[in-house]
Structure formats: structure tokens, C-alpha cells
């Protein structure tokens, strides 16, 4: 189904640039990522530490699922305040430390990268600003190449971060099928912009809140989607794993309570399908982004000819078109949310 979506805001115009950003990134970062991957294969880290805030932190969760599932190396998320506020160094010798930041200016991320480097970790920064303090601190800089992003809500820079993470993992594992999918990712993202999710807009816009659900790599984009609803629409949304939501959170579910579910075609699919079957008996406002099931109420079409580990990147691309639509339907300006600024420098 082809969407009628056309960008109506700066956020929309920027998210539409994502396919070209990823194409530029694939060509421009090839040598830098190959050098990093050669180093990682020659001297595999004992574990990986990630560091980021907001959308950047959600992207590192995607890294966790890819690295742990494809390489079997544990990945932990650093609490930046341990170094920046509590002045405690973390034992990260022989680790790979990955910091993610659009601006590269946040003092706490810089301090954490410095501490990890001094403790003997190999340090990597995924940044959009390559002459930033964070980039100057680390061993390897992987430019996001997203270009200027003036809307407060990160869209193309988030997709660029997911893409950069996938490129690192693809070069590290040398998985042919995964890397073939990466090569096709710009076109897959263009296809994602043609998918129509706008039918979910009215129901979500009229709600008082919703759950956003995913499992595996899709849980990372569920977190990002929930943040975007808060940020652009002043709409309360909570992200949960499909494996966890059936505990306490289910007490809030009513027959009209909306849920947005992301399901990629990997080993998590059967468990998410079981969850969807159960939820369809509990709420009439269930929206599911998944392959197949085109005739089921609430179906959101996705890019189908894609590696399952890359599918969440195209799903979040289509989601951003929905987020813009919901924001406008609620009378919000997604480019300038209240109380927020583009760069947040946390200490």
C-alpha cells in the first residue's frame, strides 16, 4: 500500500533525507569501518560498553542485540553519571567502548570516553560533528554523515546511527547476507517511506497514551518511538519488550487502549505473534508492523525483502511519518517541542 504522506514539517523533510544519508555513509565510511573491524577481529574485546543518552542510548540497545546475537560478546550500557558525577572509574580494560552523540559536545560522554580510554579500552565515537570534543577523545571516529538536523526531534541522525552500528557489525562478522542487505539499505529506506501507516494516526492522536512494543532489535526502535510520541506530540507512551509487558503494565489495557507493535522476521517472531494474538482479544486498537497479515485489522505494512536484523531500521523510518502525522493531528509542532532544545549538554 502506497502512502499519501508528504513532508509537512522540517522533521518530515529531514526524515525523508535518511536514504541518501545512509547511501553517503556506506560509501564514505567504508575504509574507517574496515580498519576498526580488522582491529576487532585481530583482538576481540572481552566485552562492549556503550554510552549515550536519549535517542543515542536507544541506538546502543540495537548495538547490544546485534553484537550479542551475532558475536556472542556481552554488551553493557554505561551509566554516564558514575564517571561524571560520582567520579568513579569503571574497569574497562580490554573492552570496546562505543559512545554515541550527534553533537559530540556533552561533557559527561566526553568524560566517560576519556575514562574508558585511560582504563585500557578501545574507544569509538559515532558522531555527526567530527571536530567535536568527543571525536577528539577516542581512537576511532565513525562519522554519521547526517548533515544539518535542525528539527529538535532526531530522525535521520538516529537512522544514521543504526546504520553505522549495522555497518560495524557487518564488517566485523563478514556475514555475506547481512552485508548484502546493508548495501540495499538506502533503497529499502526509500521503500519504507512509501508504506502507509497514516491510518493509525487518528486513533493514536485521540488517545491519552499507548504502549509501544518490540522484541530483540525491534525493542530498540520501540524505545525510540515511545520517546518520539512524548517529544513531538506531548503524548505519553511507554516502551516494553513483548516478553515483559504482560506483567504489571497489562493492568492499564482496556478495549480502547492503543498498542503499537514492531515485529521483525527473526527468532523472536513466534513469541511476538503469540503476544499479538492475545492482545487482539484485549484491545480493538492494536497496530502491528510486520510481514504478512495484510488483511488483519491494524496491520501496518513493512519492507518485506530485507534482512531481519535490518528490518527495524526501515520500520522506524516509516514510523517517523506516522509520528509527524500524529503530532499535527494533536496541534503540536514537532520541530519545536516545548521545553526542549536540539543539543543537551549533560554533566
Amino acid at each position: 500500500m502506497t502512502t499519501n504522506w508528504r513532508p509537512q514539517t522540517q522533521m518530515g523533510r529531514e526524515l525523508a533525507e535518511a536514504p541518501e544519508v545512509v547511501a553517503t555513509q556506506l560509501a564514505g565510511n567504508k575504509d574507517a569501518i574496515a580498519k576498526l573491524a580488522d582491529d576487532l577481529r585481530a583482538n576481540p574485546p572481552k566485552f562492549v560498553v556503550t554510552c549515550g543518552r536519549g535517542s543515542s542510548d536507544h541506538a546502543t540497545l540495537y548495538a547490544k542485540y546485534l553484537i550479542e546475537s551475532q558475536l556472542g560478546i556481552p554488551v553493557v550500557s554505561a551509566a554516564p553519571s558514575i564517571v561524571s558525577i560520582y567520579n568513579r572509574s569503571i574497569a574497562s580494560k580490554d573492552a570496546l567502548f562505543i559512545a554515541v552523540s550527534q553533537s559530540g559536545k556533552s561533557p559527561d560522554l566526553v568524560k566517560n570516553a576519556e575514562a574508558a580510554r585511560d582504563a585500557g579500552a578501545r574507544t569509538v565515537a559515532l558522531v555527526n560533528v567530527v571536530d567535536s570534543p568527543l571525536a577528539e577523545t577516542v581512537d576511532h571516529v565513525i562519522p554519521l554523515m547526517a548533515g544539518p538536523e535542525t528539527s529538535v526531534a532526531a530522525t535521520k541522525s538516529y537512522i544514521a546511527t543504526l546504520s553505522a552500528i549495522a555497518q560495524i557489525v557487518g564488517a566485523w562478522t563478514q556475514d555475506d547476507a547481512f552485508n548484502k542487505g546493508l548495501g540495499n539499505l538506502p533503497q529499502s529506506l526509500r521503500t519504507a517511506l512509501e508504506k502507509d501507516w497514516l491510518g493509525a494516526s487518528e486513533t493514536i492522536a485521540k488517545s491519552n497514551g499507548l504502549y509501544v512494543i518490540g522484541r530483540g532489535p525491534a525493542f530498540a526502535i520501540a524505545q525510540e518511538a515511545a520517546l518520539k510520541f512524548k517529544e513531538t506530540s506531548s503524548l505519553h507512551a511507554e516502551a516494553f519488550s513483548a516478553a515483559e509487558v504482560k506483567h504489571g503494565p497489562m493492568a492499564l489495557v482496556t478495549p480502547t487502549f492503543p498498542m503499537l507493535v514492531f515485529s521483525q522476521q527473526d527468532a523472536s517472531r513466534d513469541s511476538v505473534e503469540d503476544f499479538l494474538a492475545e492482545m487482539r482479544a484485549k484491545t480493538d486498537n492494536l497496530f502491528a508492523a510486520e510481514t504478512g497479515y495484510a488483511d488483519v485489522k491494524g496491520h501496518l505494512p513493512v519492507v518485506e525483502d530485507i534482512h531481519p536484523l535490518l528490518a527495524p531500521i526501515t520500520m522506524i523510518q516509516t514510523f517517523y511519518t506516522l509520528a509527524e502525522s500524529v503530532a499535527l493531528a494533536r496541534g503540536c509542532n514537532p520541530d519545536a517541542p516545548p521545553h526542549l532544545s536540539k543539543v543537551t549538554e549533560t554533566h
Side-chain angles (χ1 to χ4, degrees):
M1 185 182 298
T2 301
T3 184
N4 293 319
W5 177 82
R6 295 293 182 272
Q8 300 183 60
T9 64
Q10 181 63 14
M11 171 186 166
R13 288 185 286 273
E14 288 175 352
L15 72 91
E17 295 172 5
E20 308 318 314
V21 166
V22 172
T24 300
Q25 197 185 57
L26 283 165
N29 282 343
K30 186 174 181 180
D31 290 343
I33 287 177
K35 181 179 179 181
L36 171 61
D38 288 345
D39 181 33
L40 293 172
R41 282 195 304 275
N43 300 286
K46 292 182 178 178
F47 62 102
V48 178
V49 180
T50 62
C51 195
R53 292 196 182 277
S55 294
S56 295
D57 188 43
H58 302 155
T60 68
L61 181 59
Y62 179 71
K64 175 181 177 67
Y65 279 107
L66 261 60
I67 293 170
E68 290 188 349
S69 68
Q70 302 307 296
L71 290 150
I73 298 173
V75 180
V76 297
S77 176
S81 62
I82 298 300
V83 172
S84 65
I85 298 296
Y86 294 101
N87 297 312
R88 182 73 179 183
S89 295
I90 301 298
S92 49
K93 180 176 171 54
D94 299 324
L96 171 66
F97 179 90
I98 303 175
V100 180
S101 172
Q102 293 179 60
S103 69
K105 293 170 61 177
S106 194
D108 57 350
L109 297 188
V110 175
K111 287 181 180 178
N112 274 263
E114 290 173 343
R117 180 197 61 200
D118 293 346
R122 273 170 290 178
T123 53
V124 177
L126 307 184
V127 291
N128 202 32
V129 182
V130 294
D131 58 352
S132 61
L134 180 60
E136 293 171 357
T137 301
V138 300
D139 302 315
H140 297 269
V141 177
I142 306 300
L144 296 180
M145 299 188 181
E149 187 175 60
T150 58
S151 176
V152 168
T155 54
K156 62 175 178 174
S157 63
Y158 179 74
I159 290 172
T161 305
L162 298 183
S163 170
I165 289 166
Q167 290 169 56
I168 292 169
V169 174
W172 191 351
T173 62
Q174 297 183 315
D175 183 302
D176 289 340
F178 185 78
N179 285 316
K180 181 180 178 181
L182 268 172
N184 294 331
L185 186 56
Q187 182 55 47
S188 297
L189 288 166
R190 295 184 192 102
T191 302
L193 284 172
E194 298 172 357
K195 300 299 180 181
D196 189 355
W197 290 16
L198 301 186
S201 180
E202 182 178 358
T203 297
I204 293 174
K206 290 180 177 178
S207 73
N208 293 320
L210 73 157
Y211 289 160
V212 188
I213 310 297
R215 194 164 189 189
F219 183 37
I221 65 165
Q223 290 190 334
E224 168 66 5
L227 174 64
K228 283 298 179 288
F229 278 133
K230 297 185 187 83
E231 189 176 33
T232 63
S233 298
S234 297
L235 176 62
H236 185 72
E238 289 189 78
F240 290 99
S241 164
E244 299 293 336
V245 71
K246 291 193 290 184
H247 299 291
M250 289 307 299
L252 295 182
V253 176
T254 68
T256 59
F257 188 86
M259 287 191 192
L260 172 60
V261 182
F262 298 104
S263 177
Q264 71 273 333
Q265 191 80 3
D266 69 358
S268 70
R269 179 63 183 264
D270 288 347
S271 66
V272 177
E273 287 304 317
D274 290 343
F275 170 79
L276 286 169
E278 185 176 343
M279 291 307 105
R280 287 189 175 104
K282 296 181 183 299
T283 177
D284 293 327
N285 292 328
L286 180 68
F287 300 99
E290 58 179 344
T291 58
Y293 297 93
D295 296 330
V296 175
K297 180 184 176 183
H299 172 72
L300 302 177
V302 298
V303 178
E304 302 216 358
D305 185 17
I306 191 170
H307 193 286
L309 295 178
L310 299 173
I313 306 179
T314 57
M315 288 180 189
I316 200 67
Q317 172 79 97
T318 313
F319 165 79
Y320 286 141
T321 68
L322 172 63
E324 183 197 46
S325 177
V326 170
L328 295 174
R330 288 174 64 86
C332 298
N333 179 2
D335 295 332
H339 316 302
L340 297 176
S341 61
K342 183 62 181 174
V343 178
T344 301
E345 295 186 19
T346 313
H347 293 271

